[in-house]
Amino acid sequence: MQTNPALEYDYSISKLFLYATIVFGIVGLLLGVVIAFQMAIPQLNYLAGEYGTFGRLRPLHTSGIIFGFTLSGIWAGWYYIGQRVLKISYNEYPFLKAIGYIHFWLYIVLMALAVVSLFAGMTTSKEYSELVWPLDLLVVVVWVLWGVSLFGSMGVRREKTLYISLWYFIATFVAIAALFIFNNLQIPTYFVSGYGAWTHSISLYAGTNDALVQWWFGHNAVAFLFTAAIIALIYYFLPKESGQPIFSYKLSLYSFWGMMFVYIWAGGHHLIYSTVPDWMQTMGSVFSVILILPSWGTAINMLLTMKGQWHQLKESPIIKFLVLASTFYMLSTLEGPIQSIKSVNALAHFTDWIPGHVHDGTLGWVGFMIIAACYHMVPRMYKREIYSGKLMEAQFWIQTTGIVLYFSSMWIAGITQGMMWRATDEFGSLAYSFIDTVTVLIPYYMIRAIGGLLYLIGFIMFTYNIIMTIVASKEIDKEPQYATPIAAR
Amino acid sequence: MELIQVIREYLYFFTTIALVVILYAYILHLYRSEKRGEADYEKYGRLALDDELSDKPIEENIKKESEKRESIKES
Amino acid sequence: MFSWLEKNPFFFTVAFLVPFSIAGLVEIVPEFAQASRPTEGLKPYSMLETAGRQVYIKDSCNACHSQLVRPFKSETDRYGMYSLSGEYAYDRPFLWGSKRTGPDLHRVGDYRTTDWHENHMWDPESVVPGSIMPAYKHMFSNSVDIDTAYAEAYTQKVVFGMPYDTPNGVALGSYEEAKALIYDEAKAIVADMKNQDVKDALARGEIKEIVALIAYLNSLSNERRVAQ
């Protein structure tokens, strides 16, 4: 090989994003736990004056987890996987390395401004794109920088074929770019009138149109960030950690295109029983159901990759995280279409079942996948074995318990609430006043909050384990090929 | 207005059918061409496993490689 | 797709972009012209209501409240007539919400009053025992941003053709006129309130957030939406 022998992969950018993943993970989860407890104990709204109320904290929680924790995790993965499957090193390409650094630091600036502005109540109110327009522009810059890194790296690649993970990264990049721009088209009011706050703007679309665009965005942004980008990670980390090539490359091709064609057609399902026409609602539901097939292709592919290798599940906590992540992926891709069936949706919409569904996806699938990715990358980036396998085991079970408490309590709460809203007495009038349907849920809100707390505790154990791995664990002289070395401690 | 609506319903419907046909034709195509020996997809599955800088690429990206060799020589 | 596609990032991206765009266009665009027509007699938000809407957004009331009455008997019994697309024609952004921790508010102006809101926003528990809604005492001391409210209403008028300043309609006028209007509106609301600090503030020329918010909640009613 004509490659410079001293050349190694450059992990410096990936490391930065790893730190960000951990910090945003803790902050985002903590905020989530706080607002979960607020719903059971409303007095907790007053811990920080107007800045601590549920309404202020909720966008901070969602943005912190989606754009902080998840994106950092995805990018830590990209700057690690990208070089490896393309067989290039950023040490050879100072330009790409510089782009990576700028990307990271601008992103951190953006997140800091986002936190400050959301605390101050500067929001557009649109879910998952709450940021005011100047920050939206900064988002575009950060995104473009990622694009330069993505396509720039592919431009200099030594390996001709793009590995599966890269398809999903490309899809994520393109789709989020388009969705984000269209959803955030707005008119800054200061520049029209010459009065008021320069950061204020109003949406280009009104009412139902605005809702259409928002849910087109809302559904697909989640689809790509929480699905496509995380699939990109699992297609690399599961085969690599287990030492098994993916069960079927053909199936992965099929499920990629299947998912891309079908997923984007199902965006209507958030609008069921609102004011959009009937047929659109029906079609939206039907497509969400068809959606199961290609999205399960990925999960099935993952589980079959482990065929004959199930003993690894006992031996490696990382495999445990990966396999459970795939399982939760299947669960939430099954639950989503069920919820979009008209009659189910009539019951479930606006209830706690929806956050329940979102969280078995985010905590189980996204969270576990990113945690597993970090456990796989850190020993290679720092040339040390993982500090404690026992701690990983404990973390796994604590977090899994947390997730189960979370979604089971929200299932019950959601269905109870939906049933009570529509219950009638023998004369056909409503059986419950609204407040009855609130107070009955308090125990479930409590259980949910405890579930969230367990997950946060697990995440802190994870953080401790990672820090100890970096600073105190036994050094290894060579990058392990497959299974990550874990200390028995 | 009515007209757009009708056009769209048809469009939606036929695209749906087309998508289903395309997707199933596609998976058939994949398995067929491998059976006939025209393509070997599964070897790409190893991309994730043999990913050291020193591992040999499955297929070299030729043009880029020669450029790079030159730039290494120069430096 | 046919083995060459995975070797070519550019065409791969194009192959993805094409179905993605088509789906987007088909899903979104044709809805547009249809959904944007206002219902007969729908009035724009007045200055104070606009300011109140900004307060509603600032504190993300939409995180717990929907504004979308669905066409089911159980909902129309509880909240009133189901929501029509045209009723939202002036809503930028829309505020349908996605979660009903609290009740729907799309028609709350038809059955709640200024003094009810005043007590409820100050301390929900005292009005509705067992409520888990936070109290919003800070709204009784924060003042509204009149300039930004004007900027929003003005933009709605000149960019989007919102029918301000029509005969018998909602007035906006110049900045000075709008300012005079918002104080008149505030006086009418505060007259129904009992909080002395809010009254004193208005006398000093400050409009508190709570005043605007209540005006907005009151505007979620038939009175604003139906031709009189």
Side-chain angles (χ1 to χ4, degrees):
Chain A
M1 281 304 340
Q2 56 292 107
T3 329
N4 179 352
L7 209 55
E8 286 196 338
Y9 288 124
D10 170 57
Y11 295 136
S12 56
I13 308 164
S14 187
K15 282 179 187 170
L16 291 174
F17 278 108
L18 169 84
Y19 306 142
T21 309
I22 290 174
V23 173
F24 289 129
I26 292 178
V27 174
L29 290 173
L30 182 66
L31 285 166
V33 172
V34 170
I35 61 178
F37 274 108
Q38 282 178 343
M39 290 183 73
I41 312 168
Q43 285 73 19
L44 292 174
N45 276 287
Y46 317 123
L47 296 177
E50 68 175 278
Y51 305 105
T53 53
F54 183 91
R56 292 283 173 93
L57 297 185
R58 199 252 179 189
L60 277 159
H61 163 63
T62 53
S63 303
I65 289 296
I66 300 172
F67 304 114
F69 171 71
T70 308
L71 261 187
S72 297
I74 291 166
W75 283 333
W78 154 249
Y79 283 103
Y80 179 91
I81 300 172
Q83 297 179 74
R84 302 187 69 109
V85 296
L86 297 169
K87 297 209 174 68
I88 57 168
S89 163
Y90 290 145
N91 289 327
E92 309 171 84
Y93 299 104
F95 172 73
L96 289 175
K97 196 168 178 169
I99 290 289
Y101 280 111
I102 302 172
H103 176 206
F104 175 79
W105 286 111
L106 264 187
Y107 164 70
I108 294 297
V109 169
L110 167 68
M111 289 306 290
L113 292 173
V115 168
V116 174
S117 63
L118 289 178
F119 263 122
M122 291 159 74
T123 160
T124 64
S125 89
K126 286 190 166 191
E127 269 176 87
Y128 322 129
S129 54
E130 286 94 351
L131 298 182
V132 290
W133 69 269
L135 294 186
D136 286 344
L137 293 181
L138 195 52
V139 171
V140 173
V141 176
V142 170
W143 204 254
V144 167
L145 283 168
W146 182 37
V148 173
S149 170
L150 196 61
F151 290 100
S153 304
M154 287 188 239
V156 297
R157 70 190 187 280
R158 276 175 55 218
E159 179 66 68
K160 195 154 174 119
T161 299
L162 304 178
Y163 184 61
I164 311 166
S165 299
L166 301 187
W167 316 339
Y168 284 96
F169 280 133
I170 293 178
T172 308
F173 173 78
V174 175
I176 301 274
L179 293 162
F180 183 84
I181 288 173
F182 281 107
N183 195 36
N184 283 288
L185 290 178
Q186 49 201 313
I187 310 282
T189 55
Y190 174 79
F191 295 104
V192 175
S193 66
Y195 289 99
W198 66 279
T199 51
H200 185 68
S201 64
I202 54 176
S203 176
L204 186 62
Y205 325 101
T208 309
N209 287 343
D210 201 30
L212 276 163
V213 178
Q214 164 63 28
W215 287 119
W216 178 61
F217 165 87
H219 177 257
N220 285 313
V222 171
F224 282 95
L225 222 54
F226 283 172
T227 313
I230 306 300
I231 289 178
L233 299 182
I234 202 163
Y235 264 117
Y236 175 81
F237 288 107
L238 183 74
K240 183 70 179 173
E241 178 69 29
S242 67
Q244 300 297 310
I246 188 73
F247 167 73
S248 167
Y249 188 85
K250 293 185 285 299
L251 185 56
S252 67
L253 268 171
Y254 170 69
S255 47
F256 176 80
W257 290 108
M259 185 179 144
M260 292 309 142
F261 278 111
V262 183
Y263 217 142
I264 41 196
W265 282 84
H269 82 222
H270 276 271
L271 299 162
I272 288 170
Y273 289 121
S274 50
T275 46
V276 295
D278 248 18
W279 69 267
M280 189 172 175
Q281 300 168 9
T282 319
M283 277 312 227
S285 316
V286 171
F287 273 101
S288 301
V289 174
I290 298 178
L291 192 70
I292 302 179
L293 286 176
S295 53
W296 276 43
T298 300
I300 290 168
N301 216 348
M302 291 305 146
L303 297 179
L304 286 177
T305 299
M306 295 306 295
K307 198 176 57 175
Q309 295 291 324
W310 290 106
H311 56 93
Q312 290 199 22
L313 199 61
K314 266 201 243 115
E315 293 151 13
S316 163
I318 299 189
I319 296 287
K320 271 205 190 90
F321 278 108
L322 288 166
V323 168
L324 202 74
S326 317
T327 314
F328 272 112
Y329 174 65
M330 287 175 96
L331 179 69
S332 56
T333 47
L334 179 67
E335 196 182 9
I338 288 178
Q339 284 182 342
S340 69
I341 296 168
K342 257 188 170 188
S343 55
V344 180
N345 189 276
L347 182 78
H349 196 53
F350 291 134
T351 72
D352 283 295
W353 192 3
I354 306 296
H357 161 62
V358 171
H359 283 80
D360 49 53
T362 46
L363 299 175
W365 158 241
V366 178
F368 273 19
M369 184 57 234
I370 290 178
I371 286 170
C374 294
Y375 275 136
H376 177 94
M377 292 189 294
V378 165
R380 290 167 171 83
M381 298 197 293
Y382 295 89
K383 304 254 181 327
R384 287 169 189 271
E385 61 178 26
I386 287 181
Y387 178 71
S388 166
K390 291 232 176 67
L391 206 56
M392 283 171 85
E393 286 282 339
Q395 176 204 344
F396 176 84
W397 289 111
I398 289 176
Q399 290 193 311
T400 305
T401 313
I403 301 172
V404 172
L405 287 182
Y406 195 114
F407 73 75
S408 51
S409 61
M410 287 300 97
W411 277 352
I412 303 174
I415 293 169
T416 308
Q417 200 175 30
M419 299 295 267
M420 284 177 81
W421 284 344
R422 60 162 69 160
T424 49
D425 60 18
E426 69 260 45
F427 309 110
S429 38
L430 294 173
Y432 300 100
S433 67
F434 194 89
I435 189 66
D436 298 335
T437 72
V438 176
T439 44
V440 69
L441 300 181
I442 304 248
Y444 303 110
Y445 286 154
M446 204 65 189
I447 296 173
R448 183 259 299 267
I450 292 169
L453 184 63
L454 288 179
Y455 197 87
L456 173 64
I457 291 172
F459 198 84
I460 290 169
M461 293 162 73
F462 160 74
T463 307
Y464 174 77
N465 211 348
I466 292 288
I467 293 174
M468 293 307 281
T469 301
I470 296 174
V471 300
S473 195
K474 197 177 114 224
E475 299 200 19
I476 46 182
D477 36 298
K478 204 175 141 287
E479 244 183 46
Q481 197 183 3
Y482 300 134
T484 304
I486 300 171
R489 146 176 49 211
Chain B
M1 222 57 268
E2 290 294 285
L3 188 69
I4 295 184
Q5 190 71 5
V6 174
I7 292 175
R8 182 163 73 157
E9 281 186 49
Y10 278 98
L11 209 78
Y12 210 91
F13 185 72
F14 285 113
T15 322
T16 310
I17 296 186
L19 278 181
V20 172
V21 172
I22 291 172
L23 277 177
Y24 281 85
Y26 178 49
I27 188 94
L28 244 136
H29 161 83
L30 288 177
Y31 277 92
R32 271 236 195 100
S33 51
E34 196 164 85
K35 219 175 184 175
R36 291 208 203 100
E38 289 161 10
D40 174 13
Y41 291 101
E42 295 308 327
K43 67 175 184 221
Y44 299 116
R46 293 216 61 91
L47 278 175
L49 302 182
D50 306 327
D51 63 346
E52 291 305 322
L53 263 181
S54 51
D55 287 332
K56 196 170 153 41
I58 294 177
E59 289 145 343
E60 291 268 346
N61 198 9
I62 302 295
K63 197 179 94 243
K64 296 287 153 22
E65 190 58 21
S66 57
E67 274 168 19
K68 205 179 71 195
R69 234 175 275 147
E70 264 151 45
S71 72
I72 287 175
K73 256 182 235 156
E74 278 161 24
S75 60
Chain C
M1 188 172 246
F2 301 99
S3 72
W4 58 270
L5 206 52
E6 291 88 52
K7 295 176 185 163
N8 193 317
F10 177 75
F11 285 108
F12 188 91
T13 309
V14 172
F16 167 70
L17 202 56
V18 169
F20 180 75
S21 320
I22 295 176
L25 288 177
V26 175
E27 266 180 26
I28 300 289
V29 172
E31 260 352 289
F32 259 58
Q34 265 176 333
S36 56
R37 257 171 299 170
T39 46
E40 178 81 18
L42 183 68
K43 291 196 239 348
Y45 293 105
S46 71
M47 271 291 284
L48 192 62
E49 289 158 9
T50 303
R53 201 165 185 274
Q54 290 177 353
V55 174
Y56 187 95
I57 289 172
K58 180 179 171 192
D59 272 299
S60 293
C61 308
N62 52 300
C64 286
H65 290 286
S66 60
Q67 287 193 25
L68 180 74
V69 183
R70 298 180 292 171
F72 306 139
K73 183 167 183 304
S74 58
E75 301 226 339
T76 51
D77 280 1
R78 195 181 291 279
Y79 304 115
M81 230 277 276
Y82 60 84
S83 302
L84 302 173
S85 183
E87 292 177 313
Y88 302 104
Y90 300 146
D91 285 10
R92 292 168 205 275
F94 79 110
L95 290 172
W96 293 2
S98 59
K99 177 76 201 329
R100 258 184 210 155
T101 304
D104 192 276
L105 297 179
H106 194 217
R107 308 208 178 278
V108 71
D110 291 335
Y111 46 81
R112 296 287 183 217
T113 55
T114 299
D115 65 327
W116 192 91
H117 287 309
E118 182 184 11
N119 294 328
H120 184 253
M121 295 304 291
W122 180 262
D123 182 10
E125 266 266 37
S126 69
V127 182
V128 183
S131 175
I132 58 167
M133 173 162 148
Y136 284 93
K137 296 200 168 82
H138 64 263
M139 288 184 182
F140 292 74
S141 48
N142 289 356
S143 298
V144 298
D145 181 350
I146 299 175
D147 288 11
T148 304
Y150 177 72
E152 178 168 329
Y154 182 82
T155 307
Q156 287 267 31
K157 181 179 169 187
V158 299
V159 178
F160 299 110
M162 187 112 108
Y164 283 111
D165 299 317
T166 54
N168 301 324
V170 177
L172 180 65
S174 68
Y175 174 69
E176 278 71 29
E177 286 164 341
K179 230 174 153 168
L181 282 171
I182 198 174
Y183 280 111
D184 288 345
E185 282 184 77
K187 273 182 204 131
I189 298 282
V190 171
D192 292 337
M193 291 177 65
K194 61 178 192 315
N195 187 300
Q196 197 53 44
D197 294 340
V198 171
K199 285 177 192 284
D200 293 346
L202 188 65
R204 288 196 305 274
E206 292 163 23
I207 301 173
K208 294 302 169 197
E209 284 183 341
I210 185 70
V211 180
L213 181 77
I214 292 176
Y216 171 63
L217 292 174
N218 289 343
S219 82
L220 298 173
S221 66
N222 255 347
E223 201 182 315
R224 188 178 61 83
R225 293 190 182 122
V226 179
Q228 300 298 311

